[in-house]
Short mmCIF file of all heavy atoms in Angstrom, two decimals:
data_model
loop_
_atom_site.label_atom_id
_atom_site.label_comp_id
_atom_site.label_asym_id
_atom_site.label_seq_id
_atom_site.Cartn_x
_atom_site.Cartn_y
_atom_site.Cartn_z
N ILE P 18 7.97 -19.72 6.70
CA ILE P 18 6.93 -18.72 6.93
C ILE P 18 5.59 -19.43 7.07
O ILE P 18 5.21 -20.20 6.19
CB ILE P 18 6.86 -17.70 5.77
CG1 ILE P 18 8.17 -16.96 5.64
CG2 ILE P 18 5.72 -16.75 5.98
CD1 ILE P 18 8.25 -16.13 4.39
N ASP P 19 4.91 -19.15 8.14
CA ASP P 19 3.58 -19.69 8.35
C ASP P 19 2.57 -18.69 7.81
O ASP P 19 2.30 -17.65 8.42
CB ASP P 19 3.35 -19.94 9.85
CG ASP P 19 2.00 -20.56 10.14
OD1 ASP P 19 1.21 -20.78 9.19
OD2 ASP P 19 1.72 -20.81 11.33
N VAL P 20 2.01 -18.99 6.63
CA VAL P 20 1.08 -18.04 6.00
C VAL P 20 -0.16 -17.78 6.84
O VAL P 20 -0.84 -16.77 6.65
CB VAL P 20 0.69 -18.49 4.57
CG1 VAL P 20 1.87 -18.47 3.65
CG2 VAL P 20 0.02 -19.84 4.58
N ASN P 21 -0.46 -18.68 7.77
CA ASN P 21 -1.61 -18.45 8.65
C ASN P 21 -1.36 -17.30 9.62
O ASN P 21 -2.31 -16.80 10.23
CB ASN P 21 -1.93 -19.73 9.44
CG ASN P 21 -2.40 -20.83 8.53
OD1 ASN P 21 -3.20 -20.59 7.62
ND2 ASN P 21 -1.90 -22.03 8.73
N GLU P 22 -0.12 -16.88 9.76
CA GLU P 22 0.22 -15.76 10.64
C GLU P 22 0.21 -14.42 9.91
O GLU P 22 0.43 -13.38 10.50
CB GLU P 22 1.59 -15.99 11.29
CG GLU P 22 1.63 -17.18 12.24
CD GLU P 22 0.67 -17.03 13.41
OE1 GLU P 22 0.50 -15.91 13.92
OE2 GLU P 22 0.08 -18.05 13.81
N LEU P 23 -0.01 -14.43 8.59
CA LEU P 23 -0.11 -13.20 7.81
C LEU P 23 -1.51 -12.63 7.92
O LEU P 23 -2.50 -13.35 7.79
CB LEU P 23 0.19 -13.46 6.33
CG LEU P 23 1.63 -13.57 5.92
CD1 LEU P 23 1.73 -14.03 4.47
CD2 LEU P 23 2.37 -12.26 6.11
N THR P 24 -1.60 -11.33 8.17
CA THR P 24 -2.90 -10.65 8.18
C THR P 24 -2.80 -9.36 7.38
O THR P 24 -1.72 -8.78 7.23
CB THR P 24 -3.37 -10.33 9.61
OG1 THR P 24 -2.41 -9.51 10.25
CG2 THR P 24 -3.60 -11.59 10.41
N PHE P 25 -3.92 -8.94 6.85
CA PHE P 25 -4.03 -7.69 6.10
C PHE P 25 -5.07 -6.84 6.80
O PHE P 25 -6.21 -7.27 6.97
CB PHE P 25 -4.43 -7.98 4.65
CG PHE P 25 -3.40 -8.77 3.91
CD1 PHE P 25 -3.36 -10.16 4.01
CD2 PHE P 25 -2.46 -8.13 3.13
CE1 PHE P 25 -2.40 -10.90 3.33
CE2 PHE P 25 -1.49 -8.86 2.44
CZ PHE P 25 -1.47 -10.24 2.55
N GLU P 26 -4.66 -5.63 7.17
CA GLU P 26 -5.56 -4.74 7.90
C GLU P 26 -5.69 -3.42 7.16
O GLU P 26 -4.85 -3.05 6.35
CB GLU P 26 -5.04 -4.52 9.32
CG GLU P 26 -4.97 -5.79 10.13
CD GLU P 26 -4.44 -5.58 11.53
OE1 GLU P 26 -4.24 -4.42 11.93
OE2 GLU P 26 -4.24 -6.59 12.22
N SER P 27 -6.71 -2.69 7.51
CA SER P 27 -6.98 -1.39 6.91
C SER P 27 -5.77 -0.46 7.07
O SER P 27 -5.15 -0.42 8.11
CB SER P 27 -8.20 -0.78 7.58
OG SER P 27 -8.43 0.51 7.09
N ASN P 28 -5.46 0.26 6.01
CA ASN P 28 -4.35 1.21 6.02
C ASN P 28 -4.92 2.61 6.15
O ASN P 28 -5.71 3.04 5.31
CB ASN P 28 -3.53 1.07 4.73
CG ASN P 28 -2.25 1.84 4.77
OD1 ASN P 28 -2.08 2.74 5.57
ND2 ASN P 28 -1.34 1.50 3.89
N GLU P 29 -4.52 3.34 7.17
CA GLU P 29 -5.06 4.68 7.45
C GLU P 29 -4.24 5.80 6.79
O GLU P 29 -4.57 6.97 6.94
CB GLU P 29 -5.11 4.92 8.96
CG GLU P 29 -5.92 3.87 9.72
CD GLU P 29 -7.39 3.88 9.36
OE1 GLU P 29 -7.94 4.96 9.11
OE2 GLU P 29 -7.97 2.78 9.31
N SER P 30 -3.19 5.46 6.07
CA SER P 30 -2.33 6.46 5.45
C SER P 30 -3.09 7.26 4.39
O SER P 30 -3.82 6.70 3.57
CB SER P 30 -1.12 5.78 4.80
OG SER P 30 -0.38 6.72 4.05
N LYS P 31 -2.90 8.57 4.40
CA LYS P 31 -3.53 9.46 3.40
C LYS P 31 -2.92 9.27 2.01
O LYS P 31 -3.47 9.73 1.03
CB LYS P 31 -3.38 10.92 3.82
CG LYS P 31 -3.99 11.23 5.17
CD LYS P 31 -5.47 11.43 5.05
CE LYS P 31 -6.01 11.93 6.37
NZ LYS P 31 -7.20 11.32 6.78
N LEU P 32 -1.78 8.59 1.94
CA LEU P 32 -1.12 8.33 0.66
C LEU P 32 -1.95 7.39 -0.21
O LEU P 32 -1.92 7.47 -1.43
CB LEU P 32 0.26 7.72 0.92
CG LEU P 32 1.08 7.29 -0.29
CD1 LEU P 32 1.50 8.50 -1.10
CD2 LEU P 32 2.30 6.50 0.16
N PHE P 33 -2.72 6.52 0.43
CA PHE P 33 -3.43 5.46 -0.30
C PHE P 33 -4.92 5.70 -0.41
O PHE P 33 -5.53 6.35 0.43
CB PHE P 33 -3.22 4.12 0.42
CG PHE P 33 -1.81 3.65 0.42
CD1 PHE P 33 -1.03 3.75 1.57
CD2 PHE P 33 -1.23 3.09 -0.70
CE1 PHE P 33 0.27 3.32 1.59
CE2 PHE P 33 0.07 2.65 -0.69
CZ PHE P 33 0.83 2.76 0.45
N ASN P 34 -5.50 5.10 -1.44
CA ASN P 34 -6.95 5.01 -1.56
C ASN P 34 -7.42 4.13 -0.40
O ASN P 34 -6.96 3.00 -0.26
CB ASN P 34 -7.29 4.35 -2.90
CG ASN P 34 -8.77 4.16 -3.10
OD1 ASN P 34 -9.55 4.08 -2.16
ND2 ASN P 34 -9.16 4.05 -4.35
N PRO P 35 -8.30 4.63 0.47
CA PRO P 35 -8.67 3.87 1.67
C PRO P 35 -9.39 2.56 1.37
O PRO P 35 -9.43 1.67 2.21
CB PRO P 35 -9.58 4.84 2.43
CG PRO P 35 -10.07 5.79 1.42
CD PRO P 35 -8.99 5.91 0.38
N PHE P 36 -9.92 2.41 0.17
CA PHE P 36 -10.65 1.21 -0.20
C PHE P 36 -9.78 0.17 -0.91
O PHE P 36 -10.22 -0.94 -1.16
CB PHE P 36 -11.85 1.56 -1.08
CG PHE P 36 -12.76 2.56 -0.44
CD1 PHE P 36 -12.79 3.87 -0.87
CD2 PHE P 36 -13.56 2.20 0.64
CE1 PHE P 36 -13.63 4.80 -0.27
CE2 PHE P 36 -14.39 3.11 1.26
CZ PHE P 36 -14.43 4.42 0.80
N VAL P 37 -8.55 0.57 -1.25
CA VAL P 37 -7.67 -0.32 -2.02
C VAL P 37 -6.27 -0.30 -1.42
O VAL P 37 -5.27 0.00 -2.08
CB VAL P 37 -7.62 0.10 -3.51
CG1 VAL P 37 -6.92 -0.96 -4.35
CG2 VAL P 37 -9.00 0.37 -4.06
N SER P 38 -6.18 -0.58 -0.11
CA SER P 38 -4.87 -0.61 0.53
C SER P 38 -4.93 -1.41 1.82
O SER P 38 -6.00 -1.53 2.43
CB SER P 38 -4.37 0.80 0.81
OG SER P 38 -5.22 1.46 1.72
N SER P 39 -3.79 -1.94 2.21
CA SER P 39 -3.70 -2.73 3.43
C SER P 39 -2.32 -2.59 4.06
O SER P 39 -1.33 -2.37 3.37
CB SER P 39 -3.91 -4.22 3.14
OG SER P 39 -5.21 -4.47 2.73
N VAL P 40 -2.30 -2.76 5.38
CA VAL P 40 -1.07 -2.94 6.12
C VAL P 40 -0.89 -4.45 6.24
O VAL P 40 -1.85 -5.18 6.53
CB VAL P 40 -1.16 -2.30 7.53
CG1 VAL P 40 0.04 -2.67 8.37
CG2 VAL P 40 -1.27 -0.80 7.41
N ILE P 41 0.31 -4.94 6.00
CA ILE P 41 0.59 -6.37 6.07
C ILE P 41 1.27 -6.66 7.40
O ILE P 41 2.27 -6.02 7.74
CB ILE P 41 1.48 -6.82 4.90
CG1 ILE P 41 0.87 -6.40 3.57
CG2 ILE P 41 1.71 -8.33 4.96
CD1 ILE P 41 1.82 -6.49 2.40
N LYS P 42 0.73 -7.63 8.13
CA LYS P 42 1.31 -8.00 9.42
C LYS P 42 1.66 -9.49 9.42
O LYS P 42 0.98 -10.30 8.80
CB LYS P 42 0.34 -7.72 10.56
CG LYS P 42 0.12 -6.26 10.84
CD LYS P 42 -0.76 -6.08 12.06
CE LYS P 42 -0.87 -4.62 12.46
NZ LYS P 42 -1.65 -4.46 13.69
N TYR P 43 2.74 -9.80 10.14
CA TYR P 43 3.14 -11.19 10.37
C TYR P 43 3.36 -11.35 11.86
O TYR P 43 4.14 -10.59 12.45
CB TYR P 43 4.42 -11.52 9.59
CG TYR P 43 4.84 -12.96 9.71
CD1 TYR P 43 4.09 -13.96 9.11
CD2 TYR P 43 5.97 -13.31 10.42
CE1 TYR P 43 4.47 -15.28 9.21
CE2 TYR P 43 6.36 -14.63 10.52
CZ TYR P 43 5.60 -15.62 9.92
OH TYR P 43 5.97 -16.94 10.03
N ASN P 44 2.66 -12.28 12.47
CA ASN P 44 2.71 -12.43 13.94
C ASN P 44 2.39 -11.12 14.64
O ASN P 44 3.05 -10.73 15.60
CB ASN P 44 4.05 -12.97 14.41
CG ASN P 44 4.26 -14.40 14.05
OD1 ASN P 44 3.31 -15.18 13.96
ND2 ASN P 44 5.50 -14.78 13.81
N ASN P 45 1.40 -10.39 14.12
CA ASN P 45 0.95 -9.10 14.67
C ASN P 45 1.98 -7.98 14.59
O ASN P 45 1.82 -6.95 15.23
CB ASN P 45 0.46 -9.27 16.12
CG ASN P 45 -0.80 -10.09 16.19
OD1 ASN P 45 -1.68 -9.94 15.34
ND2 ASN P 45 -0.88 -10.96 17.16
N GLU P 46 3.03 -8.15 13.83
CA GLU P 46 4.04 -7.10 13.62
C GLU P 46 3.94 -6.60 12.18
O GLU P 46 3.87 -7.39 11.25
CB GLU P 46 5.44 -7.66 13.87
CG GLU P 46 6.52 -6.64 13.71
CD GLU P 46 7.92 -7.21 13.95
OE1 GLU P 46 8.06 -8.41 14.20
OE2 GLU P 46 8.86 -6.42 13.86
N VAL P 47 3.90 -5.28 12.01
CA VAL P 47 3.81 -4.70 10.67
C VAL P 47 5.09 -5.03 9.90
O VAL P 47 6.20 -4.76 10.36
CB VAL P 47 3.60 -3.17 10.72
CG1 VAL P 47 3.64 -2.58 9.32
CG2 VAL P 47 2.29 -2.83 11.41
N ILE P 48 4.90 -5.64 8.71
CA ILE P 48 6.05 -5.97 7.86
C ILE P 48 5.96 -5.30 6.50
O ILE P 48 6.85 -5.44 5.68
CB ILE P 48 6.21 -7.49 7.69
CG1 ILE P 48 4.98 -8.09 7.01
CG2 ILE P 48 6.51 -8.17 9.01
CD1 ILE P 48 5.19 -9.48 6.47
N GLY P 49 4.87 -4.58 6.26
CA GLY P 49 4.77 -3.90 4.97
C GLY P 49 3.41 -3.29 4.73
O GLY P 49 2.55 -3.26 5.62
N MET P 50 3.25 -2.81 3.50
CA MET P 50 1.97 -2.23 3.09
C MET P 50 1.85 -2.36 1.58
O MET P 50 2.83 -2.54 0.87
CB MET P 50 1.88 -0.77 3.52
CG MET P 50 2.93 0.13 2.92
SD MET P 50 2.81 1.83 3.49
CE MET P 50 3.58 1.70 5.08
N ILE P 51 0.62 -2.30 1.14
CA ILE P 51 0.35 -2.40 -0.29
C ILE P 51 -0.92 -1.61 -0.58
O ILE P 51 -1.82 -1.55 0.25
CB ILE P 51 0.18 -3.88 -0.71
CG1 ILE P 51 0.08 -4.00 -2.22
CG2 ILE P 51 -0.99 -4.54 0.01
CD1 ILE P 51 0.22 -5.43 -2.71
N GLY P 52 -0.96 -0.97 -1.74
CA GLY P 52 -2.17 -0.25 -2.06
C GLY P 52 -2.07 0.64 -3.28
O GLY P 52 -1.00 0.83 -3.86
N GLU P 53 -3.22 1.18 -3.63
CA GLU P 53 -3.32 2.12 -4.74
C GLU P 53 -3.06 3.53 -4.22
O GLU P 53 -3.66 3.95 -3.22
CB GLU P 53 -4.72 2.05 -5.34
CG GLU P 53 -4.94 3.03 -6.47
CD GLU P 53 -6.39 3.02 -6.96
OE1 GLU P 53 -7.17 2.14 -6.60
OE2 GLU P 53 -6.72 3.96 -7.71
N ILE P 54 -2.16 4.25 -4.88
CA ILE P 54 -1.89 5.63 -4.50
C ILE P 54 -3.15 6.46 -4.75
O ILE P 54 -3.79 6.34 -5.79
CB ILE P 54 -0.70 6.22 -5.30
CG1 ILE P 54 0.55 5.36 -5.13
CG2 ILE P 54 -0.44 7.67 -4.92
CD1 ILE P 54 1.08 5.28 -3.73
N HIS P 55 -3.51 7.28 -3.77
CA HIS P 55 -4.73 8.08 -3.86
C HIS P 55 -4.64 9.03 -5.05
O HIS P 55 -3.60 9.67 -5.26
CB HIS P 55 -4.93 8.87 -2.56
CG HIS P 55 -6.32 9.33 -2.38
ND1 HIS P 55 -6.85 10.38 -3.11
CD2 HIS P 55 -7.32 8.89 -1.58
CE1 HIS P 55 -8.10 10.57 -2.76
NE2 HIS P 55 -8.41 9.67 -1.82
N PRO P 56 -5.70 9.15 -5.85
CA PRO P 56 -5.68 10.04 -7.02
C PRO P 56 -5.31 11.48 -6.68
O PRO P 56 -4.65 12.16 -7.48
CB PRO P 56 -7.10 9.95 -7.57
CG PRO P 56 -7.59 8.62 -7.13
CD PRO P 56 -6.95 8.38 -5.78
N SER P 57 -5.67 11.97 -5.51
CA SER P 57 -5.33 13.35 -5.15
C SER P 57 -3.81 13.52 -5.02
O SER P 57 -3.27 14.59 -5.35
CB SER P 57 -6.03 13.77 -3.86
OG SER P 57 -5.56 13.02 -2.76
N ILE P 58 -3.12 12.51 -4.56
CA ILE P 58 -1.65 12.56 -4.47
C ILE P 58 -1.05 12.63 -5.86
O ILE P 58 -0.11 13.39 -6.11
CB ILE P 58 -1.10 11.31 -3.72
CG1 ILE P 58 -1.65 11.23 -2.31
CG2 ILE P 58 0.43 11.29 -3.74
CD1 ILE P 58 -1.21 12.33 -1.38
N LEU P 59 -1.59 11.86 -6.79
CA LEU P 59 -1.10 11.89 -8.17
C LEU P 59 -1.32 13.26 -8.80
O LEU P 59 -0.43 13.79 -9.47
CB LEU P 59 -1.79 10.81 -9.00
CG LEU P 59 -1.56 9.37 -8.56
CD1 LEU P 59 -2.37 8.41 -9.42
CD2 LEU P 59 -0.08 9.02 -8.61
N ARG P 60 -2.50 13.84 -8.56
CA ARG P 60 -2.79 15.17 -9.13
C ARG P 60 -1.87 16.23 -8.54
O ARG P 60 -1.31 17.05 -9.26
CB ARG P 60 -4.25 15.55 -8.86
CG ARG P 60 -5.21 15.02 -9.88
CD ARG P 60 -6.57 15.67 -9.73
NE ARG P 60 -7.24 15.29 -8.49
CZ ARG P 60 -7.92 14.15 -8.32
NH1 ARG P 60 -8.00 13.29 -9.30
NH2 ARG P 60 -8.50 13.89 -7.17
N GLU P 61 -1.70 16.22 -7.21
CA GLU P 61 -0.87 17.22 -6.55
C GLU P 61 0.58 17.18 -7.03
O GLU P 61 1.23 18.21 -7.15
CB GLU P 61 -0.87 16.99 -5.03
CG GLU P 61 -2.16 17.36 -4.36
CD GLU P 61 -2.19 16.91 -2.90
OE1 GLU P 61 -1.13 16.55 -2.34
OE2 GLU P 61 -3.28 16.93 -2.32
N ASN P 62 1.09 15.99 -7.27
CA ASN P 62 2.49 15.83 -7.65
C ASN P 62 2.70 15.67 -9.14
O ASN P 62 3.81 15.48 -9.60
CB ASN P 62 3.09 14.63 -6.90
CG ASN P 62 3.14 14.92 -5.42
OD1 ASN P 62 3.92 15.74 -4.97
ND2 ASN P 62 2.28 14.27 -4.66
N LYS P 63 1.61 15.73 -9.89
CA LYS P 63 1.66 15.68 -11.36
C LYS P 63 2.41 14.46 -11.89
O LYS P 63 3.14 14.55 -12.86
CB LYS P 63 2.25 16.97 -11.91
CG LYS P 63 1.44 18.19 -11.56
CD LYS P 63 2.02 19.46 -12.14
CE LYS P 63 1.10 20.60 -11.87
NZ LYS P 63 1.37 21.44 -10.80
N PHE P 64 2.21 13.31 -11.22
CA PHE P 64 2.82 12.07 -11.71
C PHE P 64 2.18 11.61 -13.01
O PHE P 64 2.83 11.15 -13.91
CB PHE P 64 2.68 10.95 -10.67
CG PHE P 64 3.58 11.10 -9.49
CD1 PHE P 64 3.07 11.29 -8.22
CD2 PHE P 64 4.96 11.06 -9.65
CE1 PHE P 64 3.90 11.43 -7.13
CE2 PHE P 64 5.80 11.20 -8.56
CZ PHE P 64 5.27 11.38 -7.30
N ILE P 65 0.86 11.75 -13.04
CA ILE P 65 0.10 11.27 -14.19
C ILE P 65 -0.96 12.31 -14.51
O ILE P 65 -1.62 12.81 -13.62
CB ILE P 65 -0.59 9.92 -13.88
CG1 ILE P 65 0.46 8.84 -13.62
CG2 ILE P 65 -1.50 9.49 -15.01
CD1 ILE P 65 -0.13 7.52 -13.16
N ARG P 66 -1.13 12.62 -15.79
CA ARG P 66 -2.21 13.51 -16.20
C ARG P 66 -3.50 12.70 -16.19
O ARG P 66 -3.80 11.97 -17.12
CB ARG P 66 -1.95 14.07 -17.60
CG ARG P 66 -0.77 14.99 -17.73
CD ARG P 66 -1.12 16.47 -17.58
NE ARG P 66 -2.37 16.90 -18.17
CZ ARG P 66 -2.48 17.47 -19.36
NH1 ARG P 66 -1.44 17.67 -20.13
NH2 ARG P 66 -3.66 17.85 -19.80
N LEU P 67 -4.24 12.79 -15.09
CA LEU P 67 -5.43 11.97 -14.94
C LEU P 67 -6.52 12.33 -15.95
O LEU P 67 -7.40 11.53 -16.22
CB LEU P 67 -5.97 12.08 -13.52
CG LEU P 67 -5.04 11.51 -12.44
CD1 LEU P 67 -5.64 11.75 -11.07
CD2 LEU P 67 -4.79 10.04 -12.67
N ASP P 68 -6.44 13.54 -16.51
CA ASP P 68 -7.42 13.92 -17.52
C ASP P 68 -7.11 13.26 -18.87
O ASP P 68 -7.96 13.15 -19.71
CB ASP P 68 -7.48 15.44 -17.68
CG ASP P 68 -6.14 16.05 -18.06
OD1 ASP P 68 -5.09 15.51 -17.66
OD2 ASP P 68 -6.13 17.07 -18.76
N LYS P 69 -5.87 12.79 -19.05
CA LYS P 69 -5.45 12.16 -20.31
C LYS P 69 -5.35 10.64 -20.21
O LYS P 69 -5.53 9.95 -21.18
CB LYS P 69 -4.07 12.70 -20.75
CG LYS P 69 -4.01 14.17 -20.95
CD LYS P 69 -4.68 14.57 -22.23
CE LYS P 69 -4.52 16.06 -22.44
NZ LYS P 69 -5.34 16.54 -23.52
N VAL P 70 -5.02 10.14 -19.03
CA VAL P 70 -4.77 8.71 -18.86
C VAL P 70 -5.61 8.19 -17.70
O VAL P 70 -5.62 8.78 -16.63
CB VAL P 70 -3.27 8.46 -18.56
CG1 VAL P 70 -3.01 6.99 -18.33
CG2 VAL P 70 -2.41 9.00 -19.67
N LYS P 71 -6.28 7.11 -17.92
CA LYS P 71 -7.04 6.45 -16.84
C LYS P 71 -6.12 5.38 -16.24
O LYS P 71 -6.31 4.19 -16.45
CB LYS P 71 -8.32 5.82 -17.38
CG LYS P 71 -9.27 6.82 -17.99
CD LYS P 71 -9.82 7.76 -16.93
CE LYS P 71 -10.78 8.73 -17.57
NZ LYS P 71 -10.99 9.91 -16.83
N ALA P 72 -5.13 5.83 -15.53
CA ALA P 72 -4.14 4.92 -14.96
C ALA P 72 -4.24 4.92 -13.45
O ALA P 72 -4.68 5.89 -12.83
CB ALA P 72 -2.74 5.34 -15.38
N ARG P 73 -3.82 3.83 -12.87
CA ARG P 73 -3.73 3.71 -11.42
C ARG P 73 -2.30 3.35 -11.08
O ARG P 73 -1.65 2.61 -11.80
CB ARG P 73 -4.68 2.64 -10.91
CG ARG P 73 -6.12 3.02 -11.14
CD ARG P 73 -7.04 1.98 -10.59
NE ARG P 73 -8.41 2.46 -10.74
CZ ARG P 73 -9.44 1.67 -10.81
NH1 ARG P 73 -9.28 0.37 -10.72
NH2 ARG P 73 -10.63 2.17 -10.94
N LEU P 74 -1.83 3.90 -9.98
CA LEU P 74 -0.47 3.65 -9.54
C LEU P 74 -0.52 2.92 -8.20
O LEU P 74 -1.24 3.34 -7.30
CB LEU P 74 0.29 4.98 -9.41
CG LEU P 74 1.74 4.91 -9.00
CD1 LEU P 74 2.57 4.18 -10.06
CD2 LEU P 74 2.28 6.32 -8.80
N TYR P 75 0.24 1.83 -8.11
CA TYR P 75 0.25 1.03 -6.89
C TYR P 75 1.64 1.04 -6.27
O TYR P 75 2.64 1.24 -6.95
CB TYR P 75 -0.16 -0.42 -7.20
CG TYR P 75 -1.59 -0.52 -7.65
CD1 TYR P 75 -1.94 -0.36 -8.99
CD2 TYR P 75 -2.60 -0.76 -6.74
CE1 TYR P 75 -3.26 -0.44 -9.40
CE2 TYR P 75 -3.93 -0.83 -7.13
CZ TYR P 75 -4.24 -0.68 -8.48
OH TYR P 75 -5.55 -0.74 -8.87
N TYR P 76 1.65 0.81 -4.96
CA TYR P 76 2.90 0.79 -4.20
C TYR P 76 2.86 -0.43 -3.28
O TYR P 76 1.82 -0.75 -2.70
CB TYR P 76 3.02 2.06 -3.37
CG TYR P 76 4.20 2.08 -2.43
CD1 TYR P 76 5.44 2.47 -2.88
CD2 TYR P 76 4.05 1.70 -1.10
CE1 TYR P 76 6.52 2.48 -2.02
CE2 TYR P 76 5.13 1.71 -0.24
CZ TYR P 76 6.37 2.10 -0.71
OH TYR P 76 7.43 2.11 0.15
N ALA P 77 4.00 -1.09 -3.15
CA ALA P 77 4.11 -2.21 -2.22
C ALA P 77 5.45 -2.14 -1.52
O ALA P 77 6.46 -1.77 -2.12
CB ALA P 77 3.98 -3.53 -2.94
N GLU P 78 5.44 -2.48 -0.24
CA GLU P 78 6.66 -2.50 0.57
C GLU P 78 6.58 -3.73 1.47
O GLU P 78 5.54 -4.00 2.08
CB GLU P 78 6.72 -1.25 1.42
CG GLU P 78 7.86 -1.20 2.39
CD GLU P 78 7.79 0.04 3.26
OE1 GLU P 78 7.47 1.12 2.74
OE2 GLU P 78 8.05 -0.08 4.46
N LEU P 79 7.67 -4.49 1.51
CA LEU P 79 7.71 -5.68 2.35
C LEU P 79 9.09 -5.77 2.98
O LEU P 79 10.10 -5.75 2.29
CB LEU P 79 7.42 -6.93 1.51
CG LEU P 79 7.22 -8.23 2.24
CD1 LEU P 79 6.05 -8.14 3.21
CD2 LEU P 79 6.99 -9.36 1.26
N GLN P 80 9.14 -5.84 4.29
CA GLN P 80 10.40 -5.92 5.03
C GLN P 80 10.79 -7.39 5.18
O GLN P 80 10.40 -8.06 6.15
CB GLN P 80 10.27 -5.23 6.37
CG GLN P 80 9.96 -3.77 6.23
CD GLN P 80 9.66 -3.11 7.57
OE1 GLN P 80 9.80 -3.70 8.62
NE2 GLN P 80 9.26 -1.85 7.52
N LEU P 81 11.53 -7.89 4.22
CA LEU P 81 11.87 -9.31 4.18
C LEU P 81 12.68 -9.77 5.39
O LEU P 81 12.54 -10.91 5.83
CB LEU P 81 12.63 -9.63 2.89
CG LEU P 81 11.82 -9.45 1.61
CD1 LEU P 81 12.72 -9.66 0.40
CD2 LEU P 81 10.64 -10.39 1.59
N GLU P 82 13.50 -8.87 5.94
CA GLU P 82 14.32 -9.28 7.08
C GLU P 82 13.46 -9.71 8.27
O GLU P 82 13.87 -10.53 9.08
CB GLU P 82 15.30 -8.17 7.49
CG GLU P 82 14.68 -6.92 8.07
CD GLU P 82 14.19 -5.90 7.04
OE1 GLU P 82 14.32 -6.16 5.84
OE2 GLU P 82 13.66 -4.87 7.46
N LYS P 83 12.25 -9.17 8.37
CA LYS P 83 11.37 -9.57 9.46
C LYS P 83 10.76 -10.95 9.24
O LYS P 83 10.35 -11.61 10.18
CB LYS P 83 10.26 -8.53 9.65
CG LYS P 83 10.79 -7.22 10.19
CD LYS P 83 9.69 -6.26 10.52
CE LYS P 83 10.28 -4.99 11.11
NZ LYS P 83 9.23 -4.03 11.48
N LEU P 84 10.74 -11.39 8.00
CA LEU P 84 10.23 -12.73 7.69
C LEU P 84 11.31 -13.81 7.83
O LEU P 84 11.01 -14.96 8.10
CB LEU P 84 9.67 -12.78 6.27
CG LEU P 84 8.40 -11.98 6.01
CD1 LEU P 84 8.07 -12.02 4.54
CD2 LEU P 84 7.26 -12.53 6.83
N ILE P 85 12.55 -13.41 7.64
CA ILE P 85 13.66 -14.37 7.63
C ILE P 85 14.16 -14.70 9.03
O ILE P 85 14.70 -15.77 9.26
CB ILE P 85 14.82 -13.82 6.76
CG1 ILE P 85 14.31 -13.66 5.31
CG2 ILE P 85 16.02 -14.74 6.80
CD1 ILE P 85 15.26 -12.92 4.42
N LYS P 86 13.95 -13.82 9.99
CA LYS P 86 14.51 -14.04 11.33
C LYS P 86 14.02 -15.28 12.03
O LYS P 86 13.11 -15.92 11.73
CB LYS P 86 14.29 -12.83 12.22
CG LYS P 86 12.85 -12.48 12.49
CD LYS P 86 12.78 -11.28 13.41
CE LYS P 86 11.35 -10.84 13.59
NZ LYS P 86 11.21 -9.76 14.51
#
């Protein structure tokens, strides 16, 4: 893997906090994403009682098969 070919770009998904998320690309092909789940998503789905816990939830996805080829 040539790490110089990895790039991180802005993630436009409403699932994520727009200031704490990225799309991961390798050779200009999307291979994953990483970021903080937007607090509104947590509230809507009642994952965490934000009034009781000051917690942040993160998500990461990486398609390893695209790196191995």
Side-chain angles (χ1 to χ4, degrees):
I18 299 170
D19 182 359
V20 294
N21 294 317
E22 294 299 323
L23 280 172
T24 58
F25 297 83
E26 298 180 7
S27 176
N28 190 342
E29 303 296 324
S30 172
K31 301 279 188 224
L32 176 67
F33 295 104
N34 178 336
F36 304 106
V37 190
S38 63
S39 293
V40 171
I41 306 166
K42 290 185 174 184
Y43 183 69
N44 289 329
N45 293 320
E46 181 180 3
V47 175
I48 62 165
M50 61 181 80
I51 188 167
E53 178 185 349
I54 303 297
H55 199 286
S57 65
I58 300 294
L59 297 177
R60 275 192 292 279
E61 288 171 13
N62 294 290
K63 299 181 175 99
F64 286 117
I65 296 174
R66 293 267 321 263
L67 295 176
D68 59 329
K69 301 285 184 191
V70 178
K71 299 293 181 201
R73 295 182 175 156
L74 182 63
Y75 294 87
Y76 174 84
E78 175 184 319
L79 189 60
Q80 298 173 7
L81 295 175
E82 68 276 1
K83 291 186 177 181
L84 292 174
I85 298 170
K86 62 179 175 176

